Amino acid sequence: MKRFPSRLFFWLALLASMLALAGCALPEKPVRPALFDFGPGALAPQPATRLAPLPPLALGEIEASGLLDTTAVVYRLGYADENQLRPYAQARWTMSAPQLLRQRLRAVLGQRRAVLNAEEGASQSRREGDLPRTLRIELEEFSHYFDGPTQSRGVIRLRATLVDIGPGGERRSEEHTSELQSH
């Protein structure tokens, strides 16, 4: 049996040690955040006629600020510091919360009426002389609220304003603030 020269053995041991230490120092593969949306929604049967039973509505962009206008999924700890919005580290919306809400609202409203973008409503009214109402929404809260370490609910708070646009300018028809909660 041949003996390895001690110098060769030393260098092989040193190389093996360096490789083992280098393996420990390699960064872990980054974890991609989970992506969420509102799901497919309820499938409504198609109406027998293509005529919408309600007058058209122009839907403006949904306004929001701060973390609500990003793809971050946010939460509040009501039992610790309810004034602080915190983003989940590994969860994101597929679009910003206002975009997701507008997409779903457009689909639901569109089951019974034509839903136009605000710009389309203005241009259509100039052509046809009929001014569709415009729905404007401000998103004030869109979060996961923890009442306690094991109790939580989803909270959506928004302000909806229905505006009539006439030759003399805008006139507010109705304004409503709502808070929706889901357990």
Side-chain angles (χ1 to χ4, degrees):
M1 180 165 171
K2 259 184 164 178
R3 284 189 87 196
F4 285 105
S6 62
R7 184 170 250 166
L8 179 60
F9 181 72
F10 169 78
W11 288 111
L12 286 175
L14 182 63
L15 180 62
S17 298
M18 288 173 49
L19 288 175
L21 288 174
C24 294
L26 289 177
E28 291 184 28
K29 188 175 182 180
V31 178
R32 290 185 180 216
L35 296 177
F36 296 93
D37 62 14
F38 291 162
L43 299 177
Q46 293 296 324
T49 68
R50 298 294 293 164
L51 297 175
L54 296 173
L57 180 71
L59 180 59
E61 294 298 321
I62 295 179
E63 300 294 323
S65 61
L67 275 175
L68 299 180
D69 201 18
T70 68
T71 60
V73 178
V74 296
Y75 66 96
R76 290 183 189 273
L77 300 178
Y79 61 93
D81 183 4
E82 69 180 15
N83 295 321
Q84 184 180 11
L85 269 177
R86 306 163 193 241
Y88 282 103
Q90 296 301 318
R92 299 283 179 268
W93 294 113
T94 55
M95 298 181 239
S96 70
Q99 289 172 319
L100 282 169
L101 189 58
R102 187 176 191 279
Q103 180 185 54
R104 182 54 54 93
L105 190 57
R106 187 176 178 96
V108 169
L109 292 173
Q111 293 174 2
R112 301 199 46 195
R113 66 175 72 230
V115 179
L116 310 168
N117 291 326
E119 309 80 44
E120 294 172 331
S123 66
Q124 178 185 358
S125 66
R126 277 189 231 106
R127 285 192 311 261
E128 298 175 11
D130 187 20
L131 302 169
R133 290 178 142 182
T134 299
L135 178 61
R136 294 195 179 132
I137 296 179
E138 295 173 59
L139 186 59
E140 297 174 347
E141 181 78 19
F142 191 88
S143 66
H144 190 185
Y145 187 91
F146 287 88
D147 295 303
T150 59
Q151 295 176 320
S152 69
R153 55 194 157 108
V155 177
I156 299 174
R157 187 174 44 251
L158 53 86
R159 175 175 291 131
T161 306
L162 200 52
V163 178
D164 289 319
I165 301 175
E170 293 185 3
R171 185 173 48 90
R172 185 181 328 204
S173 300
E174 299 175 39
E175 183 172 277
H176 186 71
T177 300
S178 285
E179 183 169 311
L180 309 168
Q181 297 187 24
S182 164
H183 292 275

